[in-house]
Amino acid sequence: MGQVIGRVTLCAQDAAYKGGRFLMVQPLNREQLAKTAGLLPLAKASSLVVYDNLGAGRGDVIAFSEGAEATAPFENPIPIDAYCCALIDRIHYKPNDI
């Protein structure tokens, strides 16, 4: 899971991407999952680019898949590394040791 921190703007787009967009997503660690109210500060960890056709926006928490599983929703091969597979409304996560 991760939080959308921005969008990627393309100057040219392959037809395979029609109907979607690319988002910059910060993966959430265990501590960040427990504090998902509001936009989180950037972590030192790297962010990733996620293809989205569900309509996620800045600040949204999303679930994403990576690798070969990211291309599974498409009929034809598409060159993406990560795919937004769910928009998260609520997280009920209370770790015992945070």
Side-chain angles (χ1 to χ4, degrees), residues 37-98:
L39 193 60
L40 300 170
L42 288 174
K44 291 182 180 179
S46 60
S47 57
L48 70 153
V49 176
V50 175
Y51 179 78
D52 169 56
N53 61 2
L54 300 177
R58 185 176 167 88
D60 287 343
V61 176
I62 65 169
F64 58 89
S65 60
E66 295 182 89
E69 291 79 13
T71 63
F74 302 93
E75 287 184 27
N76 298 315
I78 183 170
I80 59 172
D81 292 328
Y83 174 76
C84 174
C85 53
L87 304 176
I88 307 299
D89 290 330
R90 292 185 199 140
I91 298 173
H92 300 279
Y93 176 68
K94 294 182 180 180
N96 293 331
D97 58 347
I98 291 182

Side-chain angles (χ1 to χ4, degrees), residues 11 22 29:
C11 60
F22 289 93
N29 61 27

